[in-house]
Amino acid sequence: MANFIKNAFKDMKESAKAQHEVDKANMAAVKAESKAQWEEAKAMGKPETRKTILQAERDKQIEEANQRKAQADARIATAKGNK
């Protein structure tokens, strides 16, 4: 019975240590994410950064539109039989 109790407390101690490591890792992750959000918000306050990000988004949208147009043109050509 005494060994059972000793083993139980040993297991609880090991479990608590392992959970502490998990908690430390989670706290570090939350801290890093918070800092990243802060830096992103701070960067968006700069006009040149915001313009660059918005231009990249517009370029991506233009490329997607051009791809959709090319696909539609290919479908039209196929429908007309003009491969």
Side-chain angles (χ1 to χ4, degrees):
M1 180 74 170
N3 282 337
F4 175 76
I5 293 173
K6 284 181 185 179
N7 287 338
F9 280 111
K10 183 180 175 186
D11 288 344
M12 288 187 331
K13 182 179 177 181
E14 290 173 0
S15 178
K17 282 183 181 181
Q19 186 61 45
H20 180 66
E21 292 299 318
V22 169
D23 292 342
K24 282 182 10 181
N26 283 334
M27 186 63 176
V30 167
K31 185 177 177 183
E33 289 170 344
S34 177
K35 183 168 180 149
Q37 287 175 344
W38 167 253
E39 292 298 329
E40 288 171 344
K42 194 165 75 168
M44 287 301 285
K46 297 178 185 176
E48 61 275 0
T49 304
R50 194 167 49 91
K51 285 180 186 177
T52 303
I53 291 171
L54 292 176
Q55 186 59 45
E57 289 176 4
R58 285 190 293 263
D59 291 343
K60 182 181 173 186
Q61 290 173 349
I62 290 170
E63 174 142 354
E64 289 172 355
N66 287 338
Q67 287 176 354
R68 288 188 356 243
K69 183 181 179 300
Q71 290 172 351
D73 289 342
R75 288 174 44 206
I76 291 170
T78 302
K80 288 183 176 181
N82 298 345
K83 295 184 181 182

